[in-house]
Amino acid sequence: QVQLVESGGGLVQPGGSLRLSCKAPGRIFRINDMGWYRQSPGRERELVASMDRDDKTTYGDFVKGRFTITRDNIKNTASLQMNNLKPEDTAVYYCNAGGMLTTRGTLDAWGQGTRITVSS
C-alpha cells in the first residue's frame, strides 16, 4: 500500500487562498491521473480537480475558475492552488493517484487527508 504525502491546508478567511501539495513517495514509474477530492460531513467524497499525463484537466462544477491543478510527472507531485475560497469549500481534501505503476504493480493511492476551514 502506498500513501501519498500531502501538505498545506489550514484555516483561511473567505476570499483567501491556499495551496495544497501532494507527492507519491517511493519508486514510481508512471502515474496516469493525479487529482484532489474533498469530503465534508454528511456528504460524499467529490472530485475537486484532476489532471492526466497529457495535462488534460477536469474540475468540479463548483470550482468555477477559482482553483488550478498542476503536476510534475518527473517528481510525481501535484499541487492545487485555490483562490477566492468560500465557506462551502470547508472540507477534508484528499490527494489521489490513479493507475500508479510501481515495483508492486499498478495501484491507486490516497493521501491521509488535509483539512481546510474557510471561516471569518
Side-chain angles (χ1 to χ4, degrees):
Q1 189 77 8
V2 176
Q3 184 167 62
L4 308 179
V5 179
E6 300 173 4
S7 61
L11 174 64
V12 64
Q13 293 186 343
S17 298
L18 281 175
R19 185 178 182 86
L20 301 180
S21 297
C22 172
K23 180 175 176 57
R27 193 173 182 188
I28 309 296
F29 300 111
R30 186 188 70 242
I31 302 175
N32 287 341
D33 301 294
M34 292 194 77
W36 296 89
Y37 290 73
R38 72 183 188 184
Q39 188 167 22
S40 53
R43 302 190 64 175
E44 294 186 355
R45 191 172 295 189
E46 62 182 347
L47 173 70
V48 178
S50 68
M51 178 180 281
D52 66 15
R53 286 187 59 84
D54 296 322
D55 294 341
K56 179 182 177 182
T57 57
T58 302
Y59 290 96
D61 290 341
F62 56 87
V63 171
K64 298 186 187 301
R66 299 180 297 133
F67 302 171
T68 302
I69 185 172
T70 56
R71 65 181 283 184
D72 184 323
N73 292 334
I74 302 300
K75 297 180 180 179
N76 295 317
T77 60
S79 294
L80 182 69
Q81 177 65 41
M82 300 180 289
N83 299 326
N84 191 21
L85 283 161
K86 305 176 181 180
E88 52 263 42
D89 293 318
T90 296
V92 178
Y93 286 69
Y94 298 90
C95 182
N96 171 263
M100 185 169 61
L101 182 60
T102 74
T103 56
R104 286 174 280 178
T106 301
L107 308 172
D108 290 341
W110 291 91
Q112 76 279 10
T114 185
R115 183 175 300 277
I116 291 177
T117 301
V118 184
S119 175
S120 55

